[in-house]
Amino acid sequence: MFPMMWWWDPTYILVIIGLLISGWASAYVNSTFRKYDQYTSRSGATGTDAAAYILRSAGIHDVQIKEIAGNLTDNYNGKDKTLNLSQSTAESTSVAAIGVAAHECGHAVQDKVHYWPMALRTGIVPVANLGSTLSLPIIILGVIMGMNQTLIDIGIWAFGLALLFQLVTLPVEFNASHRAVNILASSPLISSDEVVMVKKVLFAAALTYVAAALATFLQLLRLIILFGGNRNNN
């Protein structure tokens, strides 16, 4: 009976809802970026110019700015101290590009001031990745071994580490955006009305992390509904 339940059970609606939420958030951030990517900043600064200015203003001199391939693939790597800007950000003079570059600089500032949620997120990445990878195989093994509830519970808890990572990510991303907006608001890079545009771009980007956390929670809830109650039947 388990194979049928696994493929056709009603809890798939939770997975579908999670996919819809994630899809909407992704579409929203892309459309918002495209909208404000059409507004050229009055200063004429590129994303790279903005990143260099912010890092210099924050007293950060050990971070190298690199241009990478892709669209919205921007990231900050604290291990090798690089601020990686996608071509659509690095070379663009749009308000959206400056906002994205500033957000990544926000992570560099977090790293400099030892913002503890960022350190926590970095610390749990290996464990969260391992838990996410092994959770379903452990649960399946538990099912194969006659609904071994101990193994199943271990698998569920392992998947919970992925949700923990998503939850810790939220304050890190929101704080980076907050730092970015504050820095830009007091800089010559953009005007006050352009700051409003940047806020909209960064808010849309933040929603993708909220959506990811919700989707992961729904997947965890599904696993608990499917397997968490089996202990009552033993």
Side-chain angles (χ1 to χ4, degrees), residues 29-39 96 200-201:
V29 69
N30 284 319
S31 64
T32 302
F33 182 86
R34 285 195 301 269
K35 177 180 179 179
Y36 293 106
D37 195 40
Q38 299 175 13
Y39 289 84
K200 293 180 179 180
V201 172

Side-chain angles (χ1 to χ4, degrees), residues 69-82:
N71 180 44
L72 295 181
T73 52
D74 314 85
N75 65 87
Y76 169 70
N77 189 323
K79 291 184 178 179
D80 58 12
K81 299 294 183 181
T82 57

Side-chain angles (χ1 to χ4, degrees), residues 31-91:
S31 64
T32 302
F33 182 86
R34 285 195 301 269
K35 177 180 179 179
Y36 293 106
D37 195 40
Q38 299 175 13
Y39 289 84
T40 301
S41 63
R42 293 191 181 93
S43 68
T46 64
T48 299
D49 294 334
Y53 175 90
I54 294 172
L55 292 177
R56 185 169 60 251
S57 298
I60 300 175
H61 306 290
D62 59 344
V63 172
Q64 181 181 5
I65 302 173
K66 291 185 177 181
E67 184 174 327
I68 59 176
N71 180 44
L72 295 181
T73 52
D74 314 85
N75 65 87
Y76 169 70
N77 189 323
K79 291 184 178 179
D80 58 12
K81 299 294 183 181
T82 57
L83 189 74
N84 303 301
L85 300 179
S86 62
Q87 293 174 341
S88 59
T89 298
E91 301 174 5

Side-chain angles (χ1 to χ4, degrees), residues 203-219:
F203 176 73
L207 286 181
T208 61
Y209 295 99
V210 176
L214 286 173
T216 303
F217 169 74
L218 290 173
Q219 292 181 55

